[in-house]
Amino acid sequence: MAKTHKAIHTPGLEGALDRLEHLCRARGQRLTRQRRAVLSSLLSAGRALSAYELLERLRPEDGKSTPASVYRSLDFLMTLGVVHRLESTRSFIACEHPETPHWVQFLICRRCGQVVEAEDERIAAATESLGQRLGFALDQRVVELTGVCEGCRGSAARH
Amino acid sequence: MAKTHKAIHTPGLEGALDRLEHLCRARGQRLTRQRRAVLSSLLSAGRALSAYELLERLRPEDGKSTPASVYRSLDFLMTLGVVHRLESTRSFIACEHPETPHWVQFLICRRCGQVVEAEDERIAAATESLGQRLGFALDQRVVELTGVCEGCRGSAARH
DNA sequence: GAGTATTTGATACAAAGTATCATTAACCAG
DNA sequence: CTGGTTAATGATACTTTGTATCAAATACTC
């Protein structure tokens, strides 16, 4: 059977949860039901979600989630590097390649909401070098580039 | 008399307000008391302010400012390019060099809150090229680098 | 399987940002 | 410099986003 239909089983979900377990174990942190649920939910959403959108998706499964608990889980997953926050849209997204510690950039389509995570050497080098030149010891880099993706420019010519 | 005391008259404030007037005139937009007040206040603050901090500073002078009106003025000033929003701290700052249309980067000291506005060619080129490579027509670039500035690293050794 | 420290649940609240519509004031014309 | 027009503001209420606190629950170690 050809893979013409959208996969029902989110690809990589299992792998990501395994990775989460290993990360927790390695760092002596607890892997709780909620943390697993938050990551799964973000992964299966396949896009960035606001904390409250995430909350709505968790509620059916786990009626006792609250804003505070969702934010706590998100903070935790961010320290592990398996979730990122998009500052310019106040939303959260599962990391696409959490294997390596990394500085990433995001490209966000303002039409369809698609988010692409990139790991560009030139940008990494240029930002680091700017920091040094200005005397900053950088520990966080937000690079979020918004525009219109190829697909959206092609299809909806002018709208 | 030596200039040992902090200037009471914010340097460049007049110039900035003149520039604002010219920009409005050139674009057929109205220059209102509130818009002037918001820009002055940001300029004399000399640092990034949240919309509500700004509101508090406006109140003594103009008791009828509201959150909505402040946000409206900020949005307006941003379209003119004389004010920028810092996404990662949810705050606003007067632009340091609004002469040229520009893509800027910000370096933010997490210790003292200092914000430096930069206009780095390499970063501009690298982000543009990344956008092209991934098929994005970029129209907004958020580059916010957080760390500890030279002064703060020097003084408070470890705290 | 029990002990313990960490997380969570529940509640309440703080901060950030927006919608609507009647009123006001900036700018232009004369 | 006076009035007319249109854009901006004021007032009000509300939505969204994020946090504080503390008792109850649960993940992990032994």
Side-chain angles (χ1 to χ4, degrees):
Chain A
M1 204 185 226
K3 291 172 73 181
T4 46
H5 286 77
K6 217 170 194 172
I8 286 169
H9 181 71
T10 308
L13 206 159
E14 295 301 330
L17 290 179
D18 285 354
R19 208 155 42 214
L20 174 59
E21 187 177 342
H22 292 141
L23 273 170
C24 286
R25 189 163 287 279
R27 304 171 56 144
Q29 311 255 241
R30 293 185 183 175
L31 177 50
T32 67
R33 197 147 34 93
Q34 176 140 196
R35 288 169 176 177
R36 228 188 314 253
V38 166
L39 181 58
S40 306
S41 199
L42 272 180
L43 282 163
S44 54
R47 62 177 184 89
L49 297 177
S50 78
Y52 282 77
E53 285 175 330
L54 191 46
L55 182 57
E56 277 172 23
R57 289 173 178 237
L58 293 174
R59 278 263 158 84
E61 296 277 303
D62 176 2
K64 53 214 157 1
S65 291
T66 65
S69 71
V70 169
Y71 277 104
R72 282 185 298 225
S73 295
L74 286 170
D75 286 345
F76 175 79
L77 295 170
M78 286 192 293
T79 67
L80 293 189
V82 299
V83 164
H84 295 296
R85 157 189 252 130
L86 297 176
E87 298 291 346
S88 51
T89 56
R90 257 129 271 195
S91 62
F92 301 86
I93 191 165
C95 180
E96 287 175 13
H97 31 68
E99 299 74 27
T100 63
H102 51 307
W103 293 124
V104 298
Q105 303 89 38
F106 294 99
L107 290 101
I108 304 167
C109 176
R110 68 166 69 263
R111 193 101 43 112
C112 68
Q114 178 197 183
V115 176
V116 177
E117 183 179 335
E119 206 168 352
D120 185 275
E121 260 313 310
R122 286 171 64 199
I123 295 178
T127 52
E128 182 58 31
S129 135
L130 177 64
Q132 284 199 350
R133 187 151 60 76
L134 298 181
F136 278 72
L138 301 179
D139 51 38
Q140 189 199 338
R141 304 158 205 219
V142 174
V143 178
E144 295 176 12
L145 312 175
T146 302
V148 181
C149 74
E150 194 136 42
C152 286
R153 266 178 302 148
S155 61
R158 71 198 61 261
H159 189 78
Chain B
M1 203 187 233
K3 291 171 73 180
T4 47
H5 286 76
K6 216 170 193 172
I8 286 168
H9 181 72
T10 307
L13 204 158
E14 294 301 330
L17 290 180
D18 286 353
R19 207 154 43 213
L20 174 58
E21 187 177 342
H22 292 142
L23 274 170
C24 285
R25 189 162 287 277
R27 303 171 56 145
Q29 311 255 238
R30 294 184 185 175
L31 177 50
T32 67
R33 196 146 36 91
Q34 176 139 196
R35 287 168 176 179
R36 229 189 313 256
V38 166
L39 182 58
S40 306
S41 199
L42 272 180
L43 281 164
S44 55
R47 63 178 183 87
L49 297 178
S50 78
Y52 283 77
E53 285 175 330
L54 193 44
L55 181 57
E56 277 172 22
R57 289 172 178 236
L58 292 175
R59 279 262 158 85
E61 297 275 304
D62 177 1
K64 53 216 155 3
S65 291
T66 64
S69 71
V70 169
Y71 278 103
R72 281 185 300 225
S73 295
L74 286 169
D75 286 345
F76 175 79
L77 295 169
M78 286 193 293
T79 68
L80 293 190
V82 300
V83 163
H84 295 294
R85 159 191 250 128
L86 298 175
E87 298 291 347
S88 52
T89 55
R90 258 127 271 195
S91 63
F92 301 85
I93 192 164
C95 180
E96 288 174 14
H97 30 71
E99 300 75 26
T100 63
H102 51 306
W103 293 124
V104 299
Q105 303 88 40
F106 294 100
L107 290 101
I108 303 167
C109 176
R110 69 166 68 263
R111 192 105 37 116
C112 68
Q114 178 198 182
V115 176
V116 177
E117 183 178 335
E119 207 168 352
D120 184 275
E121 261 312 311
R122 285 172 65 199
I123 295 177
T127 53
E128 182 57 31
S129 134
L130 177 64
Q132 284 200 351
R133 188 151 59 76
L134 297 182
F136 278 72
L138 300 180
D139 52 37
Q140 189 199 340
R141 302 157 206 220
V142 174
V143 178
E144 295 175 11
L145 312 175
T146 301
V148 181
C149 75
E150 194 137 41
C152 286
R153 264 179 304 146
S155 60
R158 75 198 57 261
H159 189 78

